[in-house]
C-alpha cells in the first residue's frame, strides 16, 4: 500500500463516513457524505456499513441514489441488523430506478468477500452493540500468491518444467495480508483482530475514563489510551483515530494523544479526524510523533 487518500467526517452522535479513494471503498454513510465527497462519490465501488446507529446511516439514501448507476458494485451490511432491509426497501420506493443498481449484501463476522482480484474484504467483530452481529468491523486485505515452501531454492529450469507440466498455480499458494482495518463503533478488542494492519482506522470516542463512565449505560465505545495501547500490541503500522465526542476541541484531542503516546513510548504514527470537520487527506497531518 503506497499513498492512501482518505476523505472523511467523523464526530460521535452526529455523522461518520470515511472514504478510501485508492481502494474505492466507503466505510459508513453518515449524514453529509455525498455533499462532502461531491465529484469523488463517482469513485465509490463498495460501501461497508458497520452498524445502524443513525449517525452512521443517514446518508445512505443519497449514496443509493447517486451511486446506483455510477459504478457502485456492492453494499455490505450486518446481516443481523434489521434496519438495512427496511432501508433498502425505502430507497427502492423512493428512487425506483435504483432497484437494478447494485446488490445489498448481508454479512457476518468471519466472512471474506472479493473487492477486486487483488483486494479482499474481511468482516470482523465489534463490541459496540451487545447483541452479536449487529455491529461489525472490516479489514481490506491484499491477496497474492506465494511460492510453496517445498519449491524454494529450485533451479529456474525446474520451475519452468513444473510450470509447463502442472500450471504455474501448482507452484504457489494463495495468501492474504491485512491492509486497512476499520473498527466501526466498538469497545477496544483483543489486538490479534488487527494484527499487522498497515493502517488501522479506530474510534476513540472518549479521551478520559471519567467521561466514558458517565455514559456507561449506552453502547460500548473506546477510550483513547486503551486504543493506543492495543494498536501498539497489534503492531499496526499507522493509526487514524476517528469518532471523537463533540465535547472535545481539536487542540485538546491533539494534546491528549501526545500525552498518552509519550507515556506508552508509542512507536506508531498517529493521525486523527477532529470533530465537526471534513478532512480531505487525513494521513497528511500527523499528530504523533511530533
Ligand atoms: Zn457512532
Amino acid at each position: 500500500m503506497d499513498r492512501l487518500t482518505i476523505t472523511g467526517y467523523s464526530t460521535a452522535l452526529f455523522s461518520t463516513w470515511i472514504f478510501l479513494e485508492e481502494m474505492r471503498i466507503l466505510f459508513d454513510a453518515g449524514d453529509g457524505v455525498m455533499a462532502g465527497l461531491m465529484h469523488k462519490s463517482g469513485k465509490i465501488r463498495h460501501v461497508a456499513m458497520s452498524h445502524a446507529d443513525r449517525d452512521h446511516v443517514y446518508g445512505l439514501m443519497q449514496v443509493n441514489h447517486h451511486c446506483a448507476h455510477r459504478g457502485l458494485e456492492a453494499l455490505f451490511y450486518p446481516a443481523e441488523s434489521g434496519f438495512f432491509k427496511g432501508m433498502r426497501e425505502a430507497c427502492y420506493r423512493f428512487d425506483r430506478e435504483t432497484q437494478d443498481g447494485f446488490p445489498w449484501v448481508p454479512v457476518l463476522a468471519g466472512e471474506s468477500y472479493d473487492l477486486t482480484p487483488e483486494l479482499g474484504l474481511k468482516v470482523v467483530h465489534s463490541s459496540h452493540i451487545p447483541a452479536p452481529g449487529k455491529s461489525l468491523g472490516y479489514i481490506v486485505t491484499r491477496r497474492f500468491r506465494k511460492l510453496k515452501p517445498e519449491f524454494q531454492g529450485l533451479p529456474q529450469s525446474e520451475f519452468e518444467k513444473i510450470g509447463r507440466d502442472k500450471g504455474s498455480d501448482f507452484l504457489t499458494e494463495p495468501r492474504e495480508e491485512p491492509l486497512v482495518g476499520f473498527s466501526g463503533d466498538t469497545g477496544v478488542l483483543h489486538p490479534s483482530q488487527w494484527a499487522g494492519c498497515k493502517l488501522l482506522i479506530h474510534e476513540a470516542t472518549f479521551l478520559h475514563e471519567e467521561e466514558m463512565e458517565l455514559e456507561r449505560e449506552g453502547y460500548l465505545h473506546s477510550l483513547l489510551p486503551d486504543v493506543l495501547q492495543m494498536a501498539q500490541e497489534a503492531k499496526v503500522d499507522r493509526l487514524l483515530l476517528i469518532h471523537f465526542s463533540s465535547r472535545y476541541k481539536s487542540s485538546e484531542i491533539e494534546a491528549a494523544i501526545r500525552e498518552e503516546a509519550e507515556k506508552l513510548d508509542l512507536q506508531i504514527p498517529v493521525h486523527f479526524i477532529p470533530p465537526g470537520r471534513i478532512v480531505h487527506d487525513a494521513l497528511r497531518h500527523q499528530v504523533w510523533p511530533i
Side-chain angles (χ1 to χ4, degrees):
M1 183 181 71
D2 302 318
R3 187 77 179 86
L4 197 51
T5 313
I6 299 179
T7 309
Y9 179 99
S10 185
T11 307
L13 284 180
F14 290 96
S15 175
T16 286
W17 52 268
I18 305 287
F19 180 52
L20 313 188
E21 191 169 330
E22 288 78 3
M23 294 175 172
R24 308 183 80 158
I25 185 165
L26 174 70
F27 289 119
D28 287 347
D31 187 21
V33 54
M34 284 297 111
L37 285 174
M38 291 196 291
H39 64 279
K40 272 195 188 180
S41 63
K43 294 187 178 178
I44 300 172
R45 289 290 167 272
H46 297 93
V47 180
M49 302 296 297
S50 65
H51 65 300
D53 278 0
R54 301 311 182 242
D55 51 321
H56 295 253
V57 300
Y58 270 162
L60 254 185
M61 199 168 252
Q62 275 214 311
V63 169
N64 179 69
H65 178 241
H66 279 270
C67 302
H69 294 292
R70 291 172 67 208
L72 178 50
E73 288 171 14
L75 181 145
F76 304 99
Y77 68 90
E80 301 298 331
S81 174
F83 167 85
F84 292 94
K85 289 180 203 88
M87 187 65 186
R88 184 185 56 194
E89 293 315 311
C91 283
Y92 287 171
R93 272 205 296 276
F94 198 67
D95 293 305
R96 286 189 188 282
E97 77 287 357
T98 64
Q99 292 196 22
D100 56 350
F102 59 90
W104 294 51
V105 183
V107 300
L108 301 166
E111 292 178 339
S112 275
Y113 292 86
D114 296 329
L115 296 180
T116 68
E118 293 82 33
L119 294 180
L121 186 71
K122 247 174 84 173
V123 186
V124 297
H125 292 283
S126 138
S127 63
H128 180 58
I129 303 175
K134 280 185 183 281
S135 56
L136 297 169
Y138 295 94
I139 300 177
V140 177
T141 62
R142 183 175 78 92
R143 288 160 169 190
F144 58 101
R145 297 193 70 87
K146 198 169 188 286
L147 191 65
K148 287 179 186 165
E150 61 265 37
F151 295 125
Q152 263 155 27
L154 221 61
Q156 186 64 26
S157 53
E158 283 291 307
F159 275 132
E160 285 167 9
K161 186 175 177 329
I162 298 172
R164 269 197 312 274
D165 293 351
K166 311 223 172 194
S168 59
D169 276 2
F170 184 77
L171 291 159
T172 57
E173 55 196 1
R175 290 288 179 89
E176 198 171 23
E177 65 166 1
L179 291 180
V180 181
F182 175 75
S183 71
D185 286 8
T186 186
V188 172
L189 299 170
H190 194 272
S192 57
Q193 172 152 307
W194 310 112
C197 280
K198 306 280 178 224
L199 170 69
L200 174 59
I201 304 170
H202 202 288
E203 75 124 292
T205 306
F206 298 106
L207 300 183
H208 313 107
E209 185 100 52
E210 312 83 81
E211 292 129 9
M212 190 155 89
E213 288 301 325
L214 278 175
E215 297 190 18
R216 234 349 152 197
E217 69 283 0
Y219 289 162
L220 276 182
H221 285 291
S222 295
L223 183 65
L224 172 70
D226 298 346
V227 179
L228 297 181
Q229 181 161 5
M230 183 276 293
Q232 177 103 304
E233 286 167 24
K235 296 190 166 60
V236 302
D237 288 358
R238 193 169 283 280
L239 184 61
L240 171 60
L241 298 171
I242 62 167
H243 203 269
F244 288 100
S245 160
S246 62
R247 79 189 72 201
Y248 307 121
K249 286 204 219 69
S250 180
S251 55
E252 218 178 320
I253 296 168
E254 254 187 78
I257 292 172
R258 287 180 179 148
E259 191 188 323
E260 296 298 336
E262 186 119 45
K263 275 192 220 159
L264 283 168
D265 188 23
L266 188 73
Q267 301 298 315
I268 304 164
V270 182
H271 312 258
F272 78 106
I273 295 189
R277 221 163 65 209
I278 295 173
V279 172
H280 290 283
D281 188 358
L283 300 183
R284 193 173 54 192
H285 175 70
Q286 188 171 305
V287 61
W288 175 266
I290 312 160

